[in-house]
Amino acid sequence: MFIESPRYTERFGSVRMNHVQTVVSLDSGAKSDLPPPGAMGVIKIAEETIKDFENKMAIVIPVKDEKLKLFEGVVSGVPHDCLVIVVSNSQREKVDRFRMEGDALKQLCHFTFRQALIAHQKDPAIAEAAMEAGYDSLLGEDGLVRDGKSEGMVIGLLMAKVADKEYVGFVDADNYFPGAVLEYVRNFAAGFSLAQSPYSMVRILWHYKPKISGGLYFRKWGRTSEITNKHLNDLISSKTGFETEVVRTGNAGEHAMSMNLAEILPYASGYAVEPQELVSIFESFGGILPTKEPKVMGQGIDIFQIETRNPHLHEEKGEEHVRNMLLCSLSTIYHSPLSSEEIKQAIVTELVRQQSLKEGEEPPPVHMICSPKKVDSKKLISKLREDLDKYRVLP
Ligand code: GDD
Ligand code: MG
């Protein structure tokens, strides 16, 4: 593929945050002589480079009661060499949706000669492994893994670790276009190929997010992301003294990390997860607060934001859902030790305006799931590995 070279990189402490890079063309052909590296600000990412990274990557698909057709489409869009890991929190009573997902996945894998893993978020064996490893922050009062997208993501990344993958990407199960999923993963690979540090992250920005209102309208910005980005940028500006618009992917559900980075980050519960990743990176490696990982600080963190060619179309889950997502997102900034009184006040005003908070209320604290590195991850991994056959869709 052809992709814009990073035009500008903002640096905070040891974080290198690249401005958005647009995919110029989805394919760059087999000829290797065009263009010279960096010519006219465009980079060619060779097909074999993409394949090389796909082979080292697991794609985690968190799913909760999505339409089966959408889920199947998403799986079919994941490049063949990636390991698919489905973490489901779908219902099991009455209609066993988890079973339906497993059957659909099995059929696809059977016909395409690929292996995949599928686990239910409420599997007692996973909760038991987490408990033994001291992973209390992942567990709810009932002793099982808590509800939430991010909780599913953490299980997925642990399984990717069990499968010895070096990269882990996340793709939502309610994407309408399999072709877009294919592109997300190729963009993950392209980003990783440009990283200098073993600690890297790639976040997807879609070209358009169409809405159906009368006709089809190709909207550029979702409401939540626009507001989250603004406040994340304000957080940075308040520390550097220079206004910035570098953050454009605060809520990127589709994103990926090197395993090295994924295992040292804490994760905010539910939908707060994506903005919290950035907030945590700024806190730990932004050079303002003391770091607990001086080694990582030395290597730096590379963050890429890649704008797709494909539009993004997913299920619409209503106004209440959007208000809640915004509340979760801005709470992560509000409760950061980096946040000043001014930043906090602006967040409260915004949340009241968006009817996510009532006058006089404060954003609720964010539940944090500690980083896998903080628990006895060796024990956790070996326990999950013992059960691995149970999670494989094909014998
Ligand atoms: N395993 C698991 N457990 N998966 C879940 C859970 C859960 O408790 N809750 C939701 N999911 C799955 C959904 O089935 C979907 O595949 C994905 O997580 C995203 O959830 P949605 O409910 O569809 O969220 P959204 O579409 O409103 O928001 C998405 O995009 C935002 C950016 O626009 C999410 O990815 C957000 O995290 C993201 O910020
Ligand atoms: Mg969705």
Side-chain angles (χ1 to χ4, degrees):
M1 80 172 71
F2 288 111
I3 185 173
E4 281 179 345
S5 49
R7 294 219 166 166
Y8 192 71
T9 308
E10 304 252 9
R11 290 154 215 272
F12 333 102
S14 66
V15 182
R16 293 182 288 270
M17 177 123 197
N18 293 286
H19 277 246
V20 169
Q21 293 166 257
T22 300
V23 173
V24 179
S25 178
L26 289 171
D27 182 63
S28 54
K31 273 186 276 161
S32 57
D33 50 342
L34 262 174
M40 296 181 295
V42 174
I43 309 172
K44 172 178 167 149
I45 314 283
E47 203 56 31
E48 57 205 62
T49 306
I50 294 175
K51 288 287 159 229
D52 186 38
F53 281 91
E54 285 172 355
N55 192 34
K56 296 188 263 192
M57 203 184 310
I59 296 298
V60 174
I61 306 175
V63 55
K64 184 167 189 235
D65 300 325
E66 300 294 352
K67 294 181 179 128
L68 204 57
K69 292 274 183 232
L70 295 187
F71 169 72
E72 282 173 342
V74 168
V75 175
S76 72
V78 177
H80 187 83
D81 294 334
C82 297
L83 175 67
V84 168
I85 301 177
V86 177
V87 184
S88 172
N89 196 13
S90 300
Q91 74 170 48
R92 309 209 61 180
E93 298 92 44
K94 282 189 241 157
V95 186
D96 189 345
R97 298 197 63 90
F98 174 61
R99 173 147 192 188
M100 287 157 73
E101 289 155 3
D103 287 347
L105 184 65
K106 189 171 180 174
Q107 196 170 42
L108 266 168
C109 287
H110 178 71
F111 287 124
T112 55
F113 302 99
R114 77 190 294 181
Q115 187 55 277
L117 305 175
I118 181 166
H120 199 275
Q121 195 156 330
K122 301 291 177 180
D123 185 333
I126 297 179
E128 203 177 299
M131 203 175 309
E132 278 180 30
Y135 218 155
D136 297 345
S137 53
L138 192 58
L139 301 169
E141 277 165 16
D142 59 0
L144 297 175
V145 171
R146 295 159 47 96
D147 286 322
K149 176 193 166 179
S150 125
E151 286 72 359
M153 286 167 56
V154 171
I155 296 170
L157 90 81
L158 291 168
M159 293 205 142
K161 177 107 183 130
V162 172
D164 294 322
K165 292 293 168 182
E166 290 171 49
Y167 297 91
V168 57
F170 304 96
V171 174
D172 289 350
D174 62 344
N175 277 294
Y176 271 87
F177 301 135
V181 173
L182 178 75
E183 190 193 0
Y184 299 150
V185 179
R186 291 169 61 84
N187 294 352
F188 294 161
F192 290 132
S193 77
L194 299 174
Q196 305 163 33
S197 163
Y199 304 92
S200 55
M201 176 182 272
V202 185
R203 302 171 75 91
I204 298 295
L205 171 68
W206 37 77
H207 201 171
Y208 295 107
K209 193 172 176 182
K211 295 268 159 190
I212 299 154
S213 50
L216 193 58
Y217 178 67
F218 284 82
R219 206 171 131 167
K220 184 94 186 154
W221 292 103
R223 208 176 79 194
T224 313
S225 35
E226 200 171 359
I227 300 172
T228 307
N229 291 342
K230 180 191 179 297
H231 290 274
L232 279 168
N233 282 318
D234 287 352
L235 181 71
I236 295 171
S237 309
S238 72
K239 296 296 164 195
T240 61
F242 289 87
E243 266 186 15
T244 181
E245 291 189 322
V246 64
V247 179
R248 306 266 303 274
T249 54
N251 288 100
E254 275 72 25
H255 67 291
M257 283 178 265
S258 63
M259 189 56 82
N260 288 318
L261 178 59
E263 59 188 4
I264 59 172
L265 282 188
Y267 294 91
S269 183
Y271 296 113
V273 60
E274 289 95 4
Q276 180 68 52
E277 287 165 2
L278 291 180
V279 170
S280 295
I281 289 176
F282 298 150
E283 287 172 3
S284 300
F285 308 107
I288 291 175
L289 303 171
T291 186
K292 292 188 187 97
E293 302 269 3
K295 247 204 211 142
V296 182
M297 198 78 186
Q299 305 253 25
I301 313 274
D302 289 315
I303 305 176
F304 298 91
Q305 307 179 92
I306 300 185
E307 187 181 80
T308 59
R309 291 311 306 181
N310 279 285
H312 180 79
L313 192 66
H314 70 149
E315 283 285 272
E316 283 302 327
K317 290 177 182 158
E319 278 293 303
E320 188 55 37
H321 179 74
V322 172
R323 275 198 284 273
N324 175 47
M325 188 170 290
L326 186 66
L327 180 61
C328 295
S329 297
L330 295 193
S331 296
T332 65
I333 309 169
Y334 183 92
H335 291 287
S336 168
L338 292 174
S339 198
S340 64
E341 268 320 306
E342 224 180 327
I343 297 276
K344 288 187 182 191
Q345 196 44 56
I347 288 174
V348 170
T349 308
E350 184 78 72
L351 287 171
V352 171
R353 187 182 325 144
Q354 300 295 336
Q355 298 175 332
S356 294
L357 270 188
K358 293 204 185 81
E359 204 80 53
E361 282 179 345
E362 211 195 343
V366 185
H367 176 84
M368 293 297 286
I369 303 160
C370 72
S371 71
K373 261 262 167 86
K374 277 249 171 85
V375 301
D376 189 348
S377 54
K378 274 214 188 97
K379 200 172 194 178
L380 186 50
I381 299 296
S382 76
K383 189 95 184 24
L384 289 175
R385 191 167 276 145
E386 276 171 30
D387 282 344
L388 198 60
D389 281 344
K390 189 174 100 183
Y391 305 120
R392 282 190 228 273
V393 286
L394 297 181

